[in-house]
Amino acid sequence: MAILLTGGMGFIGSHTAVELIKEGYEVIIADNLSNSSKKVLERIETITGVKPLFYEIDVAVKEDVMKVFEENEVQGVVHFAGYKSVPESTRIPLAYYRNNLDTALSVLEVMKEKNCKTFVFSSSATVYGDKNKAPFNEEMPTSTSTNAYGNTKLMIEQIVRDFAASWEELSAILLRYFNPIGAHPSGLIGEAPDGIPNNLMPYITQTAVGVREYLGVFGTDYDTPDGTGVRDFIHVVDLARGHVAAINYALKTQGVEAINLGTGKGNSVLEVVSTFEKANDLKIPVKLLPRRPGDIATSFALADKAKKLLGWKAELTLFDMCKDSWNWQKNNPKGYED
Ligand code: WQD
């Protein structure tokens, strides 16, 4: 009996593989390596002593997913496979709809055909849109986004709900991630964006390592304590443990639940910069810039539902996140490239 991680070679998938293995689960990874490196597999083995079975397949191709199910006893699926860049999704929206919807649909179709009833989906706090006021709770109305990436997350949540309504035995968890940063404390796996990073922490670490000249801070006139954006930053290891808790729960239940994975606490962009500087005894040159289109002022979770249903809560601090992000980046200045 195994848990299949689609997109399991990526940032969140690889950390989840490690935590599932530590919990005694057998892990299978299916990934086309479109935005990840084969080296992740050895790194997972170095950390855990176990090399997951790996299928280099495109999860959008249903026959290939079927092959994984034919050759193994798949007990549950954590579905990470998908494109994830917000700005790229505004340039090539059709590619985002095609890939993100096809990967989800092929997995769900195969699960139904093979009677696999446990599904955990990599959703995002972006589904709360710009009308709700933080802390975001799972009962709030969701809304479409200004970008195709966010809309694919919302659409897949709806697809899963419709599917669950037609199949009573399905157990599905929609995990709404806040802002995952940090890296495994070993420094062996971490976030390795392709090209110029869109997200805050990889931009900070690339500035610290000298690849970028300075960090641009997008917006200093938000209605927040210091004027910069506030986000719920969560350590990727905590997030990965949240997936283990979600799988444990989903294996025992039926129906659909949306669950936030966040710390319940917001920190501003400038607080992240100063914590990073303190944690690592470094200076990050910053330049204050206008707001980035599409950003909201404040986003953080109400994290009570995860505690109540899954018995999970985030344990690691912003200081830990900053230390571990830097440990990963300084040991791997070019990510997984040599
Ligand atoms: C955080 C804060 C920026 C970069 C997005 C997606 C979400 C999820 C994670 C991904 C904001 C500021 C950033 C920089 C900055 N998706 N910032 N300078 O926008 O909260 O969430 O990424 O896979 O769905 O929407 O995260 O890290 O981009 O930004 O000042 O160079 O940092 O303006 O206030 P965001 P982020």
Side-chain angles (χ1 to χ4, degrees), residues 39 74 94 106 114 126 132 161 201 209 220 223 226 246 283 288 291 316 330:
K39 284 190 193 145
V74 178
L94 298 185
S106 75
K114 302 302 283 182
T126 191
N132 291 307
R161 288 184 192 281
M201 186 52 88
V209 88
T220 50
D223 184 14
D226 66 16
K283 269 322 251 181
L288 305 179
R291 295 180 180 192
L316 299 162
K330 77 169 186 262

Side-chain angles (χ1 to χ4, degrees), residues 71-87:
E71 292 177 0
N72 302 278
E73 186 123 0
V74 178
Q75 195 181 9
V77 178
V78 188
H79 179 57
F80 299 102
Y83 294 155
K84 63 164 189 179
S85 160
V86 170

Side-chain angles (χ1 to χ4, degrees), residues 84 86 124-126 149 178-180 197-201 203 215-218 222 229-231 233 269 292 295-296:
K84 63 164 189 179
V86 170
S124 167
T126 191
Y149 159 79
F178 281 73
N179 287 62
N198 305 309
N199 300 118
L200 180 64
M201 186 52 88
Y203 211 104
L215 169 76
V217 172
F218 300 141
Y222 284 110
V230 166
R231 295 292 182 272
F233 297 96
V269 171
R292 183 174 69 175
D295 276 353
I296 58 173

